[in-house]
Structures are given as C-alpha cells and as structure tokens.
Amino acid sequence: LEDCLKDITTIANGMGYPERGIALKKTLEMRMDRVRETVAFATSFDIGQNSSLSQESTASVTAKPRVALLEWCDPIMGCGYWLPELVKLAGGEAMHCPPPGGATPTISFQSLIESKPDVVVFALCGFNLKRAAREIVNSWGMHKLEKLMNDGVSGGRKRVFVVDGNYLVNRS
C-alpha cells in the first residue's frame, strides 16, 4: 500500500504535475487515517464482566473479523496486491490472499464456503456497485448466493456485502 502511495508522486512528477501527486497522496492518506481512527474508536470500548453483552457478542466485538474480500466472482478471486493491507487497515484479517504484494489468487466456491469467513465483501475490479451486483447474480445465480449467505458465512450472520470496488478498493 505504501508503494502505491509513493508511485502516485513518482508518476505525477514524471508527468510534470508534482503538486497534483502530492495533493492526491495527502487525500488518500487522510482517508486511510479516518479508517484507522474509526477502527480505533470502534474497538476501544472496555467490556467488563458486569456488561450485559453475551460472551458471543463480546467475542465478536474484540476479535478481528476474518474477511473474504473478493476481486472477481467468475472465477472467484481473493484479494492480492495492496488489498489485504486495506482489510488490515479496516481492522480485519484478510482471507484467500497471498503474502503482501502478491498476485490475486483464484479459489473455488467450495473453498470459500468451507473457510467460513466472518464477512464476505465483493469488490469487483472495474465495476461500479450496480454492475457488480448484476455480474454476481448473473455469474452465480440465486442458489449459490443463498448457499453463501446460509452456509458460507461464520455464525450465520449473513454479512455479505457488494461494494463499488472501482471507487473504493481497486482504484480511487
């Protein structure tokens, strides 16, 4: 992720617009700082023994969620390059990913189901939210989506999200 930020200024300098590179890098760093601050705030609550929260809900507040951030749906592609760092930045533990900086791996639907992530995020590369949702439904069909929602997400919490990968994750 740090390499991506450095590349912004390198490219801007090479194109003769160093001030634009500096401004974009600062904007992205501020966005990442807001995420860090939000995670720090959300995870800073001291849940004592006298809390009315159950042991299960207490564990879900304090444990890092295991996140399957998917870059593509057919074939299913986990997250590579800088994306695992984004998951970590947001307080999660990235699943189905190579070591930092590595290429995006392909996984089977069965592997995804059996891994029982706490959260599944579809952030399809190059697609806005509407196009991503349509692509997922067309590629998987409702039966597979229902199986993911019912059997594939840890604890049956049904935390499956589709985001605008093009805007939020893959490029900004």
Side-chain angles (χ1 to χ4, degrees):
L1 192 54
E2 198 58 42
D3 289 343
C4 293
L5 294 173
K6 287 177 190 173
D7 287 347
I8 290 169
T9 54
T10 301
I11 292 168
N13 289 341
M15 295 178 67
Y17 297 101
E19 67 285 343
R20 288 185 183 179
I22 291 167
L24 177 57
K25 183 179 177 194
K26 283 183 182 179
T27 297
L28 294 173
E29 288 171 335
M30 288 182 350
R31 287 170 66 183
M32 291 188 307
D33 286 342
R34 282 196 309 264
V35 171
R36 283 185 195 98
E37 290 166 8
T38 300
V39 169
F41 175 76
T43 58
S44 67
F45 297 101
D46 182 21
I47 302 172
Q49 291 182 349
N50 296 328
S51 171
S52 62
L53 293 174
S54 69
Q55 188 173 13
E56 180 182 313
S57 61
T58 302
S60 69
V61 170
T62 58
K64 289 184 177 189
R66 294 170 37 255
V67 179
L69 174 60
L70 306 177
E71 290 186 55
W72 201 246
C73 59
D74 190 18
I76 301 170
M77 298 179 81
C79 61
Y81 305 102
W82 61 89
L83 300 184
E85 292 176 78
L86 289 179
V87 172
K88 183 177 179 181
L89 179 78
E93 179 186 327
M95 301 176 68
H96 307 295
C97 56
T104 304
T106 301
I107 61 170
S108 70
F109 181 75
Q110 193 61 34
S111 293
L112 176 62
I113 295 295
E114 289 173 358
S115 68
K116 296 265 190 216
D118 298 312
V119 180
V120 176
V121 179
F122 288 95
L124 302 191
C125 187
F127 289 170
N128 65 22
L129 181 61
K130 186 175 181 179
R131 174 81 190 274
R134 186 173 61 237
E135 189 70 26
I136 294 162
V137 170
N138 288 342
S139 296
W140 285 26
M142 291 308 295
H143 176 73
K144 268 188 167 177
L145 286 171
E146 287 171 3
K147 182 166 180 61
L148 176 65
M149 296 282 284
N150 295 325
D151 301 335
V153 180
S154 177
R157 292 193 188 104
K158 300 184 188 330
R159 295 192 297 180
V160 177
F161 304 93
V162 179
V163 301
D164 186 333
N166 198 44
Y167 178 71
L168 294 173
V169 178
N170 313 109
R171 64 178 177 177
S172 288

